[in-house]
């Protein structure tokens, strides 16, 4: 799935973002710091695609919701901060 998303980034960025988001959320559900780190890498790609499309407000809303949903996961918050998310 990630290979499909990477290939779609240039021509179909919105479906690529959705694949990345779903994959990242699945990693977060694994509840482990290494998975959080990998999820953050994917989320950085999502942010970059949102920037490219000029819809950072959608990104801001998404990442705020993600933080709120997972507010008890200290390690995730630390990894997101380290990744600049």
């Amino acid at each position: 799935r990630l290979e499909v998303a990477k290939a779609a980034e240039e021509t179909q960025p919105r479906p690529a973002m959705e694949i990345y988001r779903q994959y990242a959320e699945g990693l977060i559900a694994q509840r482990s710091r290494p998975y959080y780190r990998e999820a953050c890498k994917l989320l950085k790609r999502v942010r970059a695609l949102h920037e490219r499309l000029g819809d950072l407000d959608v990104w801001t809303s998404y990442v705020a919701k993600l933080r709120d949903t997972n507010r008890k996961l200290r390690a995730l918050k630390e990894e997101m901060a380290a990744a600049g998310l």
Side-chain angles (χ1 to χ4, degrees):
R1 289 179 37 190
L2 293 179
E3 290 177 21
V4 171
K6 186 172 175 86
E9 281 185 23
E10 290 301 315
T11 59
Q12 306 223 339
R14 292 191 192 285
M17 286 188 290
E18 186 59 31
I19 291 169
Y20 288 141
R21 280 193 298 252
Q22 289 176 359
Y23 202 86
E25 290 169 11
L27 289 170
I28 291 167
Q30 298 295 316
R31 304 262 195 249
S32 174
R33 187 176 291 267
Y35 290 119
Y36 298 156
R37 197 169 296 129
E38 282 302 309
C40 287
K41 290 177 187 176
L42 296 174
L43 292 171
K44 286 173 75 172
R45 292 184 93 137
V46 172
R47 181 182 62 193
L49 290 169
H50 278 291
E51 287 174 351
R52 193 178 97 202
L53 294 173
D55 61 358
L56 280 176
D57 56 328
V58 175
W59 163 255
T60 303
S61 175
Y62 170 74
V63 80
K65 180 182 174 195
L66 186 66
R67 279 190 185 107
D68 186 54
T69 302
N70 297 290
R71 65 183 165 269
K72 294 181 181 179
L73 303 178
R74 181 183 51 83
L76 174 61
K77 290 189 278 188
E78 290 171 359
E79 290 299 324
M80 289 179 77
L85 297 173

